[in-house]
């Protein structure tokens, strides 16, 4: 398979189903941001962190490919002429969302209560988590904007929302595990 096809040389790209859209279309921005998020998760996974986190990150990366495929599918061509779905892959399930919730609950049980916002940073690995969280939030904003135009699978939106929460808790847990300094945001008083 050739990597370069030259079909996008004029600024368009094809969705699953063959529909061509401009490369700046919100649908492309949406799944492109999912791809960016997935790359950031790979960077976190490459750090010296607990294998349990790495294993879950691999699972999340797999799920993000599913979210990307959902976003890359033209809704008008999502069902084939034979009545079957174009995407013959497992969808985002309630179990996928609940798994993130359970992981957050387990990590939170080991953390001191959060009384203030925290400043991103303290350790490079923690910073990578915060960057991924911000990219996830952007992906969620783009996906919800797309959903206003063309409805997408609601479970994909829920998954992105839960994932950004998970990445915040993971950043806190990694701060704890790595004994990094978690700096609380306490607004300066006006003088």
């Amino acid at each position: 398979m050739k990597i370069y096809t030259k079909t996008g040389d004029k600024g368009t790209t094809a969705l699953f189903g063959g529909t061509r859209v401009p490369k700046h279309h919100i649908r492309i921005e949406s799944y492109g941001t999912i791809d960016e998020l997935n790359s950031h998760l790979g960077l976190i996974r490459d750090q010296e962190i607990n294998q349990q986190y790495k294993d879950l990150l691999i699972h999340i990366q797999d799920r993000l490919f599913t979210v990307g495929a959902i976003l890359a599918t033209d809704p008008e061509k999502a069902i084939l002429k034979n009545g079957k779905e174009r995407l013959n892959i497992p969808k985002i399930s309630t179990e996928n969302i609940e798994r993130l919730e359970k992981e957050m609950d387990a990590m939170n049980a080991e953390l001191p209560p959060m009384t203030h916002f925290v400043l991103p940073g303290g350790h490079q690995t923690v910073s990578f988590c915060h960057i991924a969280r911000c990219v996830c939030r952007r992906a969620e904003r783009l996906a919800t904007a797309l959903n206003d135009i063309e409805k997408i699978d609601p479970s994909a939106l829920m998954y992105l929302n839960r994932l950004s929460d998970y990445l915040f808790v993971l950043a806190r847990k990694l701060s704890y595990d790595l004994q990094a300094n978690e700096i609380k945001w306490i607004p300066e008083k006006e003088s």
Side-chain angles (χ1 to χ4, degrees):
M1 179 174 112
K2 280 192 171 186
I3 296 297
Y4 60 93
T5 61
K6 301 182 185 180
T7 57
D9 288 353
K10 294 185 179 174
T12 64
T13 193
L15 301 175
F16 289 146
T19 305
R20 294 202 70 81
V21 295
K23 288 187 177 186
H24 62 270
H25 191 281
I26 190 165
R27 185 172 290 283
I28 309 306
E29 287 288 338
S30 294
Y31 73 74
T33 305
I34 295 296
D35 188 33
E36 180 184 351
L37 172 59
N38 212 332
S39 297
H40 281 290
L41 295 183
L43 183 60
I44 297 167
R45 205 181 78 234
D46 289 342
Q47 304 304 301
E48 293 296 321
I49 60 174
N50 183 305
Q51 187 61 45
Q52 178 185 343
Y53 304 147
K54 290 182 181 202
D55 292 343
L56 183 56
L57 288 170
I58 289 171
H59 175 75
I60 291 168
Q61 287 182 292
D62 173 82
R63 301 291 64 222
L64 286 177
F65 265 90
T66 296
V67 172
I70 290 167
L71 295 173
T73 301
D74 181 345
E76 293 181 12
K77 297 185 179 179
I79 304 297
L80 300 170
K81 290 179 183 177
N82 65 10
K84 293 185 178 179
E85 291 186 24
R86 179 171 299 281
L87 292 179
N88 187 20
I89 57 174
K91 303 295 186 288
I92 299 299
S93 67
T94 303
E95 291 78 23
N96 296 147
I97 295 165
E98 289 172 351
R99 183 172 182 188
L100 293 176
E101 292 171 350
K102 288 176 186 170
E103 292 293 330
M104 283 187 278
D105 291 343
M107 288 188 291
N108 264 328
E110 297 181 38
L111 294 172
M114 199 172 124
T115 58
H116 294 80
F117 287 110
V118 294
L119 300 180
H123 189 282
Q124 182 172 313
T125 304
V126 174
S127 295
F128 290 152
C129 262
H130 282 292
I131 291 168
R133 173 186 55 80
C134 292
V135 173
C136 188
R137 283 288 188 213
R138 178 164 28 99
E140 182 184 10
R141 290 191 302 271
L142 288 165
T144 57
L146 173 62
N147 188 58
D148 285 348
I149 300 165
E150 299 174 327
K151 294 300 175 201
I152 61 173
D153 182 348
S155 62
L157 295 175
M158 288 192 302
Y159 190 78
L160 291 174
N161 185 39
R162 216 62 90 252
L163 179 56
S164 59
D165 294 337
Y166 169 80
L167 291 169
F168 177 75
V169 177
L170 180 61
R172 288 200 69 223
K173 183 65 167 78
L174 288 172
S175 287
Y176 181 82
D177 292 351
L178 297 165
Q179 299 178 335
N181 188 18
E182 190 174 73
I183 299 173
K184 295 175 182 174
W185 177 65
I186 301 171
E188 295 178 1
K189 303 234 186 276
E190 289 190 49
S191 48

Short mmCIF file of all heavy atoms in Angstrom, two decimals, residues 16-68:
data_model
loop_
_atom_site.label_atom_id
_atom_site.label_comp_id
_atom_site.label_asym_id
_atom_site.label_seq_id
_atom_site.Cartn_x
_atom_site.Cartn_y
_atom_site.Cartn_z
N PHE A 16 -14.90 7.79 5.38
CA PHE A 16 -15.32 6.42 5.14
C PHE A 16 -16.66 6.50 4.41
O PHE A 16 -17.58 7.15 4.87
CB PHE A 16 -15.47 5.63 6.44
CG PHE A 16 -14.18 5.31 7.13
CD1 PHE A 16 -14.12 5.26 8.50
CD2 PHE A 16 -13.03 5.03 6.41
CE1 PHE A 16 -12.93 4.94 9.16
CE2 PHE A 16 -11.84 4.72 7.05
CZ PHE A 16 -11.80 4.68 8.43
N GLY A 17 -16.73 5.88 3.30
CA GLY A 17 -17.92 5.96 2.46
C GLY A 17 -17.65 6.72 1.18
O GLY A 17 -18.45 6.70 0.27
N GLY A 18 -16.48 7.39 1.12
CA GLY A 18 -16.06 8.03 -0.11
C GLY A 18 -16.37 9.50 -0.26
O GLY A 18 -15.84 10.16 -1.17
N THR A 19 -17.22 10.07 0.58
CA THR A 19 -17.53 11.49 0.49
C THR A 19 -16.26 12.31 0.66
O THR A 19 -15.49 12.08 1.59
CB THR A 19 -18.55 11.89 1.58
OG1 THR A 19 -19.69 11.05 1.48
CG2 THR A 19 -18.94 13.35 1.47
N ARG A 20 -16.05 13.27 -0.24
CA ARG A 20 -14.88 14.15 -0.14
C ARG A 20 -15.29 15.45 0.52
O ARG A 20 -16.33 16.02 0.20
CB ARG A 20 -14.27 14.38 -1.52
CG ARG A 20 -13.70 13.07 -2.09
CD ARG A 20 -12.65 13.27 -3.15
NE ARG A 20 -11.40 13.82 -2.66
CZ ARG A 20 -10.42 13.13 -2.06
NH1 ARG A 20 -10.55 11.84 -1.85
NH2 ARG A 20 -9.31 13.73 -1.68
N VAL A 21 -14.46 15.88 1.46
CA VAL A 21 -14.70 17.14 2.17
C VAL A 21 -13.40 17.90 2.26
O VAL A 21 -12.31 17.32 2.14
CB VAL A 21 -15.26 16.88 3.60
CG1 VAL A 21 -16.63 16.23 3.55
CG2 VAL A 21 -14.31 16.07 4.44
N PRO A 22 -13.46 19.23 2.48
CA PRO A 22 -12.23 20.00 2.66
C PRO A 22 -11.46 19.50 3.89
O PRO A 22 -12.07 19.08 4.88
CB PRO A 22 -12.72 21.43 2.89
CG PRO A 22 -14.15 21.45 2.47
CD PRO A 22 -14.66 20.05 2.58
N LYS A 23 -10.15 19.58 3.82
CA LYS A 23 -9.33 19.10 4.94
C LYS A 23 -9.52 19.93 6.21
O LYS A 23 -9.15 19.50 7.29
CB LYS A 23 -7.85 19.08 4.54
CG LYS A 23 -7.55 17.98 3.55
CD LYS A 23 -6.07 17.86 3.28
CE LYS A 23 -5.81 16.68 2.35
NZ LYS A 23 -4.39 16.42 2.16
N HIS A 24 -10.14 21.09 6.08
CA HIS A 24 -10.41 21.92 7.25
C HIS A 24 -11.83 21.72 7.79
O HIS A 24 -12.24 22.39 8.72
CB HIS A 24 -10.18 23.40 6.93
CG HIS A 24 -11.10 23.92 5.86
ND1 HIS A 24 -10.76 23.87 4.53
CD2 HIS A 24 -12.33 24.46 5.94
CE1 HIS A 24 -11.76 24.38 3.83
NE2 HIS A 24 -12.72 24.73 4.65
N HIS A 25 -12.58 20.78 7.22
CA HIS A 25 -13.94 20.48 7.66
C HIS A 25 -13.92 20.09 9.14
O HIS A 25 -12.98 19.44 9.61
CB HIS A 25 -14.50 19.33 6.81
CG HIS A 25 -15.96 19.08 6.99
ND1 HIS A 25 -16.46 18.39 8.06
CD2 HIS A 25 -17.02 19.44 6.22
CE1 HIS A 25 -17.77 18.32 7.94
NE2 HIS A 25 -18.14 18.95 6.83
N ILE A 26 -14.94 20.48 9.88
CA ILE A 26 -14.97 20.19 11.32
C ILE A 26 -14.88 18.69 11.61
O ILE A 26 -14.33 18.27 12.62
CB ILE A 26 -16.21 20.83 11.99
CG1 ILE A 26 -16.07 20.72 13.51
CG2 ILE A 26 -17.49 20.19 11.48
CD1 ILE A 26 -17.00 21.60 14.28
N ARG A 27 -15.39 17.87 10.70
CA ARG A 27 -15.28 16.41 10.88
C ARG A 27 -13.81 15.99 10.86
O ARG A 27 -13.37 15.16 11.66
CB ARG A 27 -16.09 15.69 9.81
CG ARG A 27 -16.13 14.19 10.00
CD ARG A 27 -17.11 13.54 9.04
NE ARG A 27 -18.49 13.84 9.34
CZ ARG A 27 -19.19 13.28 10.33
NH1 ARG A 27 -18.64 12.37 11.11
NH2 ARG A 27 -20.45 13.60 10.54
N ILE A 28 -13.04 16.57 9.95
CA ILE A 28 -11.61 16.25 9.84
C ILE A 28 -10.87 16.81 11.06
O ILE A 28 -10.00 16.14 11.63
CB ILE A 28 -11.00 16.81 8.54
CG1 ILE A 28 -11.84 16.39 7.32
CG2 ILE A 28 -9.55 16.39 8.40
CD1 ILE A 28 -12.09 14.91 7.19
N GLU A 29 -11.22 18.02 11.47
CA GLU A 29 -10.63 18.60 12.69
C GLU A 29 -10.91 17.70 13.89
O GLU A 29 -10.04 17.49 14.74
CB GLU A 29 -11.18 20.01 12.95
CG GLU A 29 -10.66 21.07 12.02
CD GLU A 29 -9.21 21.43 12.27
OE1 GLU A 29 -8.69 21.20 13.38
OE2 GLU A 29 -8.59 21.94 11.33
N SER A 30 -12.12 17.15 13.95
CA SER A 30 -12.51 16.30 15.08
C SER A 30 -11.66 15.04 15.15
O SER A 30 -11.05 14.75 16.17
CB SER A 30 -13.99 15.92 14.98
OG SER A 30 -14.80 17.04 15.12
N TYR A 31 -11.62 14.29 14.04
CA TYR A 31 -10.86 13.04 14.15
C TYR A 31 -9.36 13.27 14.07
O TYR A 31 -8.58 12.47 14.57
CB TYR A 31 -11.38 11.94 13.22
CG TYR A 31 -11.12 12.03 11.75
CD1 TYR A 31 -9.87 11.78 11.21
CD2 TYR A 31 -12.16 12.30 10.86
CE1 TYR A 31 -9.64 11.82 9.84
CE2 TYR A 31 -11.95 12.33 9.50
CZ TYR A 31 -10.69 12.10 8.99
OH TYR A 31 -10.47 12.13 7.64
N GLY A 32 -8.94 14.39 13.50
CA GLY A 32 -7.52 14.74 13.54
C GLY A 32 -7.06 15.04 14.96
O GLY A 32 -5.94 14.70 15.35
N THR A 33 -7.92 15.65 15.74
CA THR A 33 -7.59 15.94 17.14
C THR A 33 -7.58 14.66 17.97
O THR A 33 -6.77 14.52 18.89
CB THR A 33 -8.56 17.00 17.70
OG1 THR A 33 -8.51 18.16 16.85
CG2 THR A 33 -8.16 17.42 19.11
N ILE A 34 -8.44 13.72 17.62
CA ILE A 34 -8.40 12.40 18.27
C ILE A 34 -7.05 11.74 17.99
O ILE A 34 -6.43 11.16 18.89
CB ILE A 34 -9.56 11.51 17.79
CG1 ILE A 34 -10.91 12.08 18.21
CG2 ILE A 34 -9.39 10.06 18.27
CD1 ILE A 34 -11.16 12.13 19.69
N ASP A 35 -6.58 11.84 16.76
CA ASP A 35 -5.28 11.28 16.38
C ASP A 35 -4.16 11.95 17.18
O ASP A 35 -3.24 11.29 17.67
CB ASP A 35 -5.07 11.45 14.88
CG ASP A 35 -3.84 10.73 14.36
OD1 ASP A 35 -3.49 9.65 14.88
OD2 ASP A 35 -3.23 11.24 13.40
N GLU A 36 -4.24 13.27 17.32
CA GLU A 36 -3.24 14.01 18.11
C GLU A 36 -3.26 13.54 19.56
O GLU A 36 -2.21 13.28 20.16
CB GLU A 36 -3.55 15.51 18.03
CG GLU A 36 -2.59 16.38 18.80
CD GLU A 36 -2.98 17.85 18.77
OE1 GLU A 36 -3.91 18.25 18.03
OE2 GLU A 36 -2.34 18.63 19.52
N LEU A 37 -4.45 13.38 20.12
CA LEU A 37 -4.59 12.89 21.49
C LEU A 37 -3.97 11.51 21.62
O LEU A 37 -3.24 11.24 22.58
CB LEU A 37 -6.07 12.85 21.87
CG LEU A 37 -6.42 12.17 23.19
CD1 LEU A 37 -5.72 12.85 24.36
CD2 LEU A 37 -7.94 12.15 23.38
N ASN A 38 -4.24 10.65 20.66
CA ASN A 38 -3.70 9.29 20.70
C ASN A 38 -2.17 9.31 20.72
O ASN A 38 -1.54 8.53 21.44
CB ASN A 38 -4.23 8.50 19.49
CG ASN A 38 -4.41 7.03 19.80
OD1 ASN A 38 -3.72 6.48 20.64
ND2 ASN A 38 -5.33 6.41 19.10
N SER A 39 -1.58 10.23 19.98
CA SER A 39 -0.11 10.35 19.97
C SER A 39 0.41 10.81 21.32
O SER A 39 1.44 10.33 21.79
CB SER A 39 0.33 11.32 18.87
OG SER A 39 -0.03 10.81 17.60
N HIS A 40 -0.31 11.73 21.96
CA HIS A 40 0.10 12.18 23.30
C HIS A 40 0.01 11.04 24.31
O HIS A 40 0.85 10.92 25.19
CB HIS A 40 -0.75 13.36 23.76
CG HIS A 40 -0.34 14.66 23.16
ND1 HIS A 40 0.83 15.30 23.49
CD2 HIS A 40 -0.94 15.44 22.24
CE1 HIS A 40 0.93 16.43 22.80
NE2 HIS A 40 -0.14 16.53 22.03
N LEU A 41 -1.01 10.19 24.16
CA LEU A 41 -1.13 9.04 25.07
C LEU A 41 0.02 8.07 24.87
O LEU A 41 0.51 7.48 25.83
CB LEU A 41 -2.47 8.33 24.87
CG LEU A 41 -3.72 9.14 25.23
CD1 LEU A 41 -4.96 8.29 25.06
CD2 LEU A 41 -3.64 9.73 26.62
N GLY A 42 0.47 7.94 23.63
CA GLY A 42 1.66 7.12 23.37
C GLY A 42 2.88 7.67 24.08
O GLY A 42 3.70 6.91 24.60
N LEU A 43 2.99 8.99 24.12
CA LEU A 43 4.11 9.63 24.82
C LEU A 43 4.05 9.35 26.32
O LEU A 43 5.07 9.03 26.94
CB LEU A 43 4.08 11.14 24.55
CG LEU A 43 5.21 11.98 25.12
CD1 LEU A 43 6.56 11.54 24.59
CD2 LEU A 43 4.97 13.45 24.80
N ILE A 44 2.86 9.41 26.89
CA ILE A 44 2.72 9.09 28.32
C ILE A 44 3.08 7.63 28.55
O ILE A 44 3.79 7.29 29.50
CB ILE A 44 1.27 9.36 28.80
CG1 ILE A 44 0.93 10.85 28.67
CG2 ILE A 44 1.10 8.90 30.25
CD1 ILE A 44 -0.55 11.15 28.83
N ARG A 45 2.60 6.76 27.68
CA ARG A 45 2.87 5.33 27.81
C ARG A 45 4.36 5.01 27.73
O ARG A 45 4.82 4.02 28.30
CB ARG A 45 2.09 4.58 26.72
CG ARG A 45 1.77 3.17 27.06
CD ARG A 45 1.03 2.47 25.95
NE ARG A 45 2.00 2.09 24.93
CZ ARG A 45 1.92 2.40 23.64
NH1 ARG A 45 0.91 3.09 23.18
NH2 ARG A 45 2.84 2.01 22.80
N ASP A 46 5.12 5.84 27.03
CA ASP A 46 6.56 5.63 26.89
C ASP A 46 7.36 6.06 28.12
O ASP A 46 8.57 5.87 28.17
CB ASP A 46 7.10 6.39 25.67
CG ASP A 46 6.64 5.78 24.36
OD1 ASP A 46 6.21 4.61 24.35
OD2 ASP A 46 6.72 6.48 23.33
N GLN A 47 6.69 6.62 29.12
CA GLN A 47 7.36 7.07 30.33
C GLN A 47 7.54 5.91 31.30
O GLN A 47 6.94 4.85 31.14
CB GLN A 47 6.55 8.20 31.01
CG GLN A 47 6.26 9.38 30.11
CD GLN A 47 7.50 10.00 29.52
OE1 GLN A 47 8.40 10.44 30.24
NE2 GLN A 47 7.58 10.03 28.20
N GLU A 48 8.36 6.13 32.31
CA GLU A 48 8.57 5.13 33.36
C GLU A 48 7.42 5.22 34.35
O GLU A 48 7.49 5.93 35.35
CB GLU A 48 9.91 5.39 34.07
CG GLU A 48 11.13 5.17 33.18
CD GLU A 48 11.28 3.72 32.73
OE1 GLU A 48 11.00 2.80 33.54
OE2 GLU A 48 11.65 3.51 31.56
N ILE A 49 6.32 4.54 34.00
CA ILE A 49 5.14 4.54 34.86
C ILE A 49 4.70 3.09 35.08
O ILE A 49 5.16 2.18 34.41
CB ILE A 49 3.98 5.37 34.25
CG1 ILE A 49 3.55 4.83 32.89
CG2 ILE A 49 4.37 6.84 34.16
CD1 ILE A 49 2.33 5.51 32.28
N ASN A 50 3.80 2.92 36.02
CA ASN A 50 3.26 1.61 36.38
C ASN A 50 2.70 0.91 35.14
O ASN A 50 2.00 1.52 34.33
CB ASN A 50 2.17 1.83 37.43
CG ASN A 50 1.55 0.57 37.95
OD1 ASN A 50 1.06 -0.25 37.19
ND2 ASN A 50 1.55 0.43 39.26
N GLN A 51 2.98 -0.39 35.02
CA GLN A 51 2.51 -1.16 33.87
C GLN A 51 0.99 -1.17 33.76
O GLN A 51 0.44 -1.20 32.66
CB GLN A 51 3.04 -2.60 33.94
CG GLN A 51 2.77 -3.43 32.71
CD GLN A 51 3.41 -2.86 31.44
OE1 GLN A 51 4.57 -2.46 31.45
NE2 GLN A 51 2.65 -2.81 30.35
N GLN A 52 0.31 -1.10 34.88
CA GLN A 52 -1.17 -1.06 34.87
C GLN A 52 -1.65 0.17 34.10
O GLN A 52 -2.60 0.08 33.33
CB GLN A 52 -1.70 -1.04 36.29
CG GLN A 52 -3.22 -0.95 36.38
CD GLN A 52 -3.71 -0.82 37.81
OE1 GLN A 52 -3.00 -1.09 38.76
NE2 GLN A 52 -4.94 -0.38 37.95
N TYR A 53 -0.99 1.33 34.30
CA TYR A 53 -1.37 2.54 33.56
C TYR A 53 -1.08 2.35 32.07
O TYR A 53 -1.88 2.73 31.22
CB TYR A 53 -0.60 3.76 34.05
CG TYR A 53 -0.72 4.07 35.53
CD1 TYR A 53 0.33 4.63 36.22
CD2 TYR A 53 -1.90 3.81 36.24
CE1 TYR A 53 0.23 4.93 37.57
CE2 TYR A 53 -2.00 4.11 37.59
CZ TYR A 53 -0.92 4.67 38.25
OH TYR A 53 -1.02 4.96 39.58
N LYS A 54 0.06 1.76 31.77
CA LYS A 54 0.43 1.53 30.36
C LYS A 54 -0.59 0.63 29.67
O LYS A 54 -1.00 0.89 28.54
CB LYS A 54 1.83 0.91 30.26
CG LYS A 54 2.94 1.86 30.64
CD LYS A 54 4.30 1.19 30.48
CE LYS A 54 5.41 2.16 30.88
NZ LYS A 54 6.69 1.80 30.28
N ASP A 55 -1.00 -0.42 30.37
CA ASP A 55 -1.96 -1.35 29.78
C ASP A 55 -3.30 -0.65 29.50
O ASP A 55 -3.90 -0.86 28.44
CB ASP A 55 -2.19 -2.56 30.70
CG ASP A 55 -0.95 -3.44 30.81
OD1 ASP A 55 -0.04 -3.34 29.95
OD2 ASP A 55 -0.89 -4.24 31.77
N LEU A 56 -3.75 0.16 30.45
CA LEU A 56 -5.00 0.87 30.23
C LEU A 56 -4.84 1.90 29.10
O LEU A 56 -5.75 2.08 28.29
CB LEU A 56 -5.50 1.55 31.51
CG LEU A 56 -6.85 2.26 31.36
CD1 LEU A 56 -7.95 1.32 30.85
CD2 LEU A 56 -7.26 2.90 32.67
N LEU A 57 -3.70 2.55 29.03
CA LEU A 57 -3.47 3.52 27.95
C LEU A 57 -3.53 2.85 26.57
O LEU A 57 -4.07 3.42 25.63
CB LEU A 57 -2.15 4.27 28.15
CG LEU A 57 -2.16 5.29 29.29
CD1 LEU A 57 -0.74 5.80 29.55
CD2 LEU A 57 -3.10 6.45 28.99
N ILE A 58 -3.01 1.63 26.47
CA ILE A 58 -3.11 0.90 25.20
C ILE A 58 -4.58 0.64 24.88
O ILE A 58 -5.01 0.83 23.74
CB ILE A 58 -2.31 -0.42 25.26
CG1 ILE A 58 -0.81 -0.13 25.25
CG2 ILE A 58 -2.68 -1.33 24.08
CD1 ILE A 58 0.07 -1.34 25.52
N HIS A 59 -5.35 0.24 25.87
CA HIS A 59 -6.78 0.02 25.66
C HIS A 59 -7.47 1.33 25.22
O HIS A 59 -8.29 1.32 24.30
CB HIS A 59 -7.43 -0.52 26.94
CG HIS A 59 -8.90 -0.66 26.85
ND1 HIS A 59 -9.52 -1.67 26.14
CD2 HIS A 59 -9.90 0.12 27.36
CE1 HIS A 59 -10.83 -1.51 26.21
NE2 HIS A 59 -11.08 -0.45 26.95
N ILE A 60 -7.14 2.42 25.88
CA ILE A 60 -7.73 3.72 25.53
C ILE A 60 -7.34 4.10 24.10
O ILE A 60 -8.19 4.59 23.34
CB ILE A 60 -7.28 4.81 26.54
CG1 ILE A 60 -7.92 4.54 27.91
CG2 ILE A 60 -7.63 6.20 26.03
CD1 ILE A 60 -7.33 5.37 29.05
N GLN A 61 -6.09 3.88 23.73
CA GLN A 61 -5.66 4.19 22.37
C GLN A 61 -6.48 3.39 21.35
O GLN A 61 -6.88 3.93 20.31
CB GLN A 61 -4.17 3.93 22.20
CG GLN A 61 -3.31 4.97 22.91
CD GLN A 61 -1.84 4.72 22.67
OE1 GLN A 61 -1.28 3.74 23.15
NE2 GLN A 61 -1.21 5.63 21.94
N ASP A 62 -6.74 2.14 21.66
CA ASP A 62 -7.59 1.32 20.79
C ASP A 62 -8.99 1.93 20.67
O ASP A 62 -9.54 2.04 19.58
CB ASP A 62 -7.68 -0.11 21.36
CG ASP A 62 -8.67 -0.96 20.59
OD1 ASP A 62 -8.30 -1.49 19.53
OD2 ASP A 62 -9.83 -1.08 21.05
N ARG A 63 -9.54 2.34 21.80
CA ARG A 63 -10.88 2.93 21.80
C ARG A 63 -10.90 4.25 21.02
O ARG A 63 -11.88 4.59 20.38
CB ARG A 63 -11.39 3.16 23.23
CG ARG A 63 -11.47 1.91 24.10
CD ARG A 63 -12.55 0.87 23.74
NE ARG A 63 -12.34 0.29 22.45
CZ ARG A 63 -13.27 0.03 21.53
NH1 ARG A 63 -14.52 0.29 21.77
NH2 ARG A 63 -12.99 -0.50 20.37
N LEU A 64 -9.79 5.00 21.09
CA LEU A 64 -9.72 6.26 20.35
C LEU A 64 -9.69 6.02 18.84
O LEU A 64 -10.20 6.84 18.07
CB LEU A 64 -8.52 7.10 20.80
CG LEU A 64 -8.68 7.75 22.16
CD1 LEU A 64 -7.41 8.50 22.54
CD2 LEU A 64 -9.90 8.68 22.21
N PHE A 65 -9.12 4.89 18.41
CA PHE A 65 -9.20 4.57 16.98
C PHE A 65 -10.66 4.35 16.59
O PHE A 65 -11.09 4.74 15.49
CB PHE A 65 -8.35 3.35 16.63
CG PHE A 65 -6.98 3.72 16.13
CD1 PHE A 65 -5.92 3.86 17.01
CD2 PHE A 65 -6.76 3.94 14.79
CE1 PHE A 65 -4.66 4.21 16.55
CE2 PHE A 65 -5.51 4.30 14.32
CZ PHE A 65 -4.46 4.43 15.20
N THR A 66 -11.44 3.74 17.49
CA THR A 66 -12.86 3.56 17.23
C THR A 66 -13.57 4.90 17.16
O THR A 66 -14.37 5.15 16.25
CB THR A 66 -13.49 2.66 18.31
OG1 THR A 66 -12.90 1.36 18.21
CG2 THR A 66 -14.99 2.55 18.14
N VAL A 67 -13.29 5.79 18.12
CA VAL A 67 -13.90 7.12 18.09
C VAL A 67 -13.53 7.83 16.79
O VAL A 67 -14.39 8.43 16.12
CB VAL A 67 -13.48 7.97 19.32
CG1 VAL A 67 -13.97 9.41 19.18
CG2 VAL A 67 -14.01 7.35 20.60
N GLY A 68 -12.26 7.76 16.41
CA GLY A 68 -11.83 8.38 15.15
C GLY A 68 -12.56 7.82 13.95
O GLY A 68 -12.98 8.55 13.05
#
